[in-house]
Amino acid sequence: MCGIIGYVGLGKASQIITDGLKRLEYRGYDSVGIAVLKNKKFELRKDKGMVGEVSSQLEFTTMDGNIGIGHTRWATHGVVCTENAHPHFDCNKTVVLAHNGVIENFLQLKKGLNGHKFSSETDSEVVAHIFEENLKLLSPEEAFLTTISSLGGSYAIAALSTNDPEERLFIARRNSPLIIGVGKGEMFCASDIPAMLPYTRSFIHLEEGDRAILSKSGYTIYDPEGKKINREIITVDWNFDVAQKGGYSHFMLKEIHDQEHFIGQTLHSETDKAKVMIDKFEKIHILAAGTSYHSALLFSYLLSEKGKIAQAFVASDYQFIGKPDEKTLVIAISQSGETADVLQALRYASKSKKIAITNTIGSTITRISDETILLNAGPEVGVAATKTFTSQMAIIYKIIYGKVKLSALQKLIATMLECEESVRKIAPLLAKKSNVFFIARGKNVPIAYEASLKFKEITYISSEAYPGGELKHGTLSLITEGVPVIVLAPNDQTLSKLAGNIQEAKARGAMILSITDDPETAKISYQSIQIPKCDPLLYPFALIIPLQLLAYHVSIERGINPDRPRNLAKSVTVE
Ligand code: G6P
């Protein structure tokens, strides 16, 4: 949901910012821009399009200067066009500013800015003009702090002013992520850590409502009341290579293959304290969005099996249907730890004890929860979540069944990855279809939901997933000659009932593609992917790997960039 980066130091700002924007592009990719300050003058270049194209067409890296800001956009207010791309100027080009979030009171603020000329339709530009107005009366620090105090809604902001003799970077955050990168003789800010990884491993996660001023020699942080405050510096041990494609054509493919290695790291994650909490509660609510919701659903099934009253909620709806109290344990699952819907739902559960399951150390979700479990899956860059889904499942399984039960997991993932060639052969067939259905039963249903989400988000083919028993209650009317039905058919207690559903679909002409270890099911399928001999407990892991690969290869077959699906962003920081 928009990526921001800022730099101040002795290095070439335009180069550092352009590189950082490339690593932030997963947050939004409809427009991009950069502004650099040199000799009290701004140079600004921006346009609609992706970072790679726009930065080379507009020659971003030819801009000179040691301080600057950049932004990659996922439109909220205003169509995708050059004017609405960030950064934005004030009237007199004394201020330049980039924003991620939604300024909810921008219309009201705009009314108070008589005589100001606006160049865009964005809510963000108003902040540049308020800063300009405040600079007429106040010092740059005071003008910035006063500007931020007037804003409603959510924001991560990075701004510069020609009025500031010290040439510093002014930043602030509320309900949108912004992290400070602490370097030697240089400072950074960005929406996410990978953008700064080549330069530093020391980071400060700003708290909600914090503002900060960064110079090449250091930083000052102010709390929401404007008081100077210290915030903890954390050190991450992520290797820069994990945020690179490493020879793969796309991040998504690399991250699918990474699963074999990262799963071992995930299994070392500390889960004991959370497990003690889970054991104490009878009623458990699990909140999440997107892919993480499918993990939440699986978690709720497994907890219910253990006799808990467990329910998974789509985070954005929790406020309407959830009734958490002090007897309810609330678990939030979020790869980024910054999804606005999840944070909002977690805050709604104010009376409950909370556990966060996330991949992002120091993220907002960890700060509003009583306990955190880290996935330790390394940064995930592809918009379509893959390795963090299997990591979430591994954490859930570790909590429910214990680590010993997962000793064969790494090997199983490695074996399933070997089916890529077979998947690649099926891909052209599916690439021509306009509808695809996924069916499963029992605990495998959340995996079918996830496979379907993966498929639709990166292939743009309409796809739906159902518990197999539901076909006859409506969906069969859509099954005609040649319609692909992908069946998640491991040889567990669901198979005999699923076999009936396969026959129902086949009788209407469905093209059955199965993932199975049952020879009979493989025989009646048009094509089949083989699950190796494994502990039935691990079937969900065996199923998801070929289905992630399938979505990827169909996407490639259709000429789509799976790392940049249209209209989507990896981290959605608006509600
Ligand atoms: C976005 C992404 C999805 C992701 C969802 C939840 O919609 O495109 O891939 O599953 O957000 O993200 P989270 O970081 O909370 O797991």
Side-chain angles (χ1 to χ4, degrees), residues 14 26 194 210 241 264 287 303 307 336 342 379 384 388 431 530:
S14 61
Y26 67 86
D210 278 356
D241 293 349
L287 324 175
L303 285 168
S336 61
V342 178
T388 55
Q530 169 84 32

Side-chain angles (χ1 to χ4, degrees), residues 273-274 277 281 328-330 346 349-356 364-373:
K273 286 192 205 137
M277 268 170 91
F281 284 84
T328 314
L329 174 67
V330 173
L346 210 49
S350 56
K351 294 194 189 118
S352 307
K353 283 265 179 237
K354 304 175 192 70
I355 298 177
T364 308
I365 202 179
T366 65
R367 278 176 280 132
I368 51 180
S369 301
D370 301 283
E371 204 53 64
T372 293
I373 300 176

Side-chain angles (χ1 to χ4, degrees), residues 289-292 334-336 339 383 385 569-570 572:
T291 289
S292 299
S334 171
Q335 181 282 127
S336 61
T339 299
V383 168
K570 180 144 195 77
V572 182

Side-chain angles (χ1 to χ4, degrees), residues 76-340:
T76 54
H77 285 71
V79 295
V80 177
C81 64
T82 312
E83 293 73 28
N84 289 339
H86 296 225
H88 294 288
F89 279 133
D90 60 342
C91 303
N92 295 310
K93 300 191 177 164
T94 55
V95 166
V96 76
L97 175 138
H99 165 231
N100 165 28
V102 178
I103 305 296
E104 285 169 7
N105 58 341
F106 88 102
L107 285 174
Q108 196 190 327
L109 292 169
K110 213 168 171 177
K111 278 191 200 137
L113 287 165
N114 284 332
H116 281 257
K117 270 182 71 184
F118 287 83
S119 322
S120 77
E121 305 156 322
T122 63
D123 54 331
S124 315
E125 192 189 341
V126 77
V127 187
H129 291 269
I130 299 174
F131 194 9
E132 175 185 32
E133 200 58 33
N134 287 329
L135 279 165
K136 290 179 187 161
L137 303 168
L138 302 167
S139 69
E141 291 90 336
E142 285 167 337
F144 182 67
L145 298 183
T146 309
T147 302
I148 298 302
S149 302
S150 65
L151 307 179
S154 58
Y155 48 80
I157 285 174
L160 305 172
S161 170
T162 53
N163 285 23
D164 181 29
E166 293 176 57
E167 298 204 335
R168 293 166 299 174
L169 194 52
F170 297 88
I171 66 173
R173 74 153 286 190
R174 187 168 79 195
N175 294 337
S176 288
L178 195 61
I179 296 155
I180 296 178
V182 183
K184 290 199 179 83
E186 55 186 3
M187 295 290 297
F188 308 80
C189 70
S191 310
D192 208 348
I193 287 175
M196 303 179 273
L197 265 187
Y199 314 103
T200 180
R201 299 286 150 86
S202 302
F203 301 101
I204 301 171
H205 283 267
L206 291 175
E207 300 273 334
E208 296 301 357
D210 278 356
R211 305 98 204 255
I213 301 178
L214 313 183
S215 66
K216 54 178 177 285
S217 53
Y219 60 90
T220 312
I221 304 176
Y222 301 87
D223 72 6
E225 275 74 51
K227 275 201 250 84
K228 283 189 189 173
I229 189 144
N230 280 326
R231 298 283 184 219
E232 187 192 359
I233 299 183
I234 57 155
T235 308
V236 303
D237 57 4
W238 287 353
N239 187 324
F240 177 54
D241 293 349
V242 292
Q244 302 281 82
K245 281 189 208 153
Y248 286 95
S249 40
H250 295 94
F251 279 111
M252 182 182 178
L253 189 61
K254 174 178 182 255
E255 287 160 2
I256 291 173
H257 283 270
D258 270 356
Q259 296 181 103
E260 179 190 346
H261 310 289
F262 277 105
I263 212 74
Q265 256 174 244
T266 296
L267 290 175
H268 278 108
S269 297
E270 150 59 33
T271 52
D272 291 351
K273 286 192 205 137
K275 187 169 167 19
V276 170
M277 268 170 91
I278 291 170
D279 288 345
K280 270 196 216 145
F281 284 84
E282 195 195 357
K283 203 169 139 206
I284 301 176
H285 287 176
I286 311 159
L287 324 175
T291 289
S292 299
Y293 172 71
H294 301 139
S295 302
L297 206 55
L298 179 67
F299 203 1
S300 73
Y301 290 0
L302 302 185
L303 285 168
S304 304
E305 242 180 22
K306 294 272 168 198
K308 302 276 185 191
I309 305 168
Q311 210 178 341
F313 291 86
V314 166
S316 54
D317 264 2
Y318 191 54
Q319 60 189 311
F320 306 119
I321 50 178
K323 295 270 175 284
D325 54 24
E326 51 296 343
K327 289 195 183 142
T328 314
L329 174 67
V330 173
I331 303 177
I333 309 181
S334 171
Q335 181 282 127
S336 61
E338 300 291 351
T339 299

